[in-house]
Amino acid sequence: GESVGLHLPTLSVQEGDNSIINCAYSNSASDYFIWYKQESGKGPQFIIDIRSNMDKRQGQRVTVLLNKTVKHLSLQIAATQPGDSAVYFCAENMLGSARQLTFGSGTQLTVLP
Amino acid sequence: GAVVSQHPSWVICKSGTSVKIECRSLDFQATTMFWYRQFPKQSLMLMATSNEGSKATYEQGVEKDKFLINHASLTLSTLTVTSAHPEDSSFYICSARPGRETQYFGPGTRLLVL
């Protein structure tokens, strides 16, 4: 079946370094993608989204890159801070679809002092 | 904008009792809300889709008589765990979306059944 998966379950980075979290998706019909951040004991928090008509979108300290050719999505966090430590999920859907998002398994990001 | 709240944030109950969890969209209307369950260090597992004014759609393996969902208004959906047992202990999260794009999540409700 269709799925969205992450390459790495865990990622450790030094404070101040840049982080890159990857995600592969298999549904070629997906045209809308979201990254969520989930801190321990909390609900997922929207970080940034991107539509398939874009390759790159930037937010505050975060950038999402979309490569439709290889069905790959990445989240880049600049100057990673301790508060960035969390589980990051990618999710995909089709614009206008009534169905819920398809979530990846998540990547645990740990920021080392 | 796009804030979703849940109440309570945590609850402890005795085995056999029922627990109701509320999910509210605070600054937008949501014809559709989603209920998830999450176990430690795992991804979100969709339980059901709550549709305002109609019956909820349950995922395969989720007992509709066990997990009662009511979506009586465009800003409120409730999940009732009936006759709760220790295996129902989990983190329950709801989400809602203003349109048909981004889903916004509530803060979650941690349920512990003794």
Side-chain angles (χ1 to χ4, degrees):
Chain A
E2 301 290 359
S3 65
V4 176
L6 297 183
H7 292 308
L8 298 173
T10 62
L11 176 67
S12 296
V13 297
Q14 291 293 138
E15 182 178 352
D17 288 351
N18 296 334
S19 303
I20 300 176
I21 301 171
N22 296 303
C23 177
Y25 65 97
S26 56
N27 185 355
S28 56
S30 294
D31 55 9
Y32 181 61
F33 305 89
I34 307 174
W35 280 101
Y36 289 94
K37 171 186 180 183
Q38 187 178 24
E39 296 176 84
S40 181
K42 299 182 179 180
Q45 176 187 4
F46 171 88
I47 300 175
I48 192 168
D49 60 358
I50 188 169
R51 297 189 179 193
S52 60
N53 61 351
M54 301 173 68
D55 297 323
K56 178 181 179 179
R57 192 172 186 208
Q58 289 184 293
Q60 187 176 13
R61 279 201 309 119
V62 295
T63 301
V64 57
L65 298 177
L66 175 63
N67 186 330
K68 297 179 287 294
T69 303
V70 295
K71 300 195 194 75
H72 184 267
L73 192 69
S74 69
L75 177 69
Q76 300 180 1
I77 304 174
T80 312
Q81 302 170 359
D84 295 327
S85 293
V87 176
Y88 290 82
F89 293 98
C90 65
E92 55 92 10
N93 206 346
M94 289 181 284
L95 285 170
S97 171
R99 67 185 179 99
Q100 66 103 30
L101 298 166
T102 300
F103 289 92
S105 57
T107 293
Q108 172 70 58
L109 174 66
T110 301
V111 181
L112 305 173
Chain B
V3 178
V4 178
S5 71
Q6 275 184 248
H7 178 80
S9 56
W10 60 270
V11 57
I12 302 173
C13 69
K14 293 182 179 180
S15 185
T17 60
S18 295
V19 175
K20 180 185 284 188
I21 303 170
E22 293 185 349
C23 176
R24 293 181 184 272
S25 55
L26 298 184
D27 49 3
F28 64 95
Q29 294 183 330
T31 56
T32 303
M33 291 184 175
F34 303 95
W35 286 97
Y36 297 83
R37 185 173 180 176
Q38 187 178 36
F39 293 103
K41 300 196 182 297
Q42 293 189 20
S43 188
L44 299 146
M45 181 186 77
L46 179 67
M47 299 175 65
T49 301
S50 173
N51 304 297
E52 188 268 337
S54 64
K55 292 183 178 180
T57 303
Y58 290 82
E59 295 300 299
Q60 190 173 11
V62 178
E63 300 176 56
K64 61 180 182 181
D65 295 329
K66 172 88 176 160
F67 299 98
L68 300 178
I69 291 173
N70 183 278
H71 194 155
S73 77
L74 289 171
T75 60
L76 173 65
S77 176
T78 61
L79 169 68
T80 302
V81 183
T82 62
S83 187
H85 289 93
E87 58 265 30
D88 298 324
S89 299
S90 191
F91 192 48
Y92 293 87
I93 309 172
C94 72
S95 75
R97 54 189 182 191
R100 285 197 168 187
E101 294 187 359
T102 307
Q103 280 179 229
Y104 295 94
F105 288 84
T109 297
R110 188 161 302 281
L111 170 63
L112 176 61
V113 184
L114 303 177

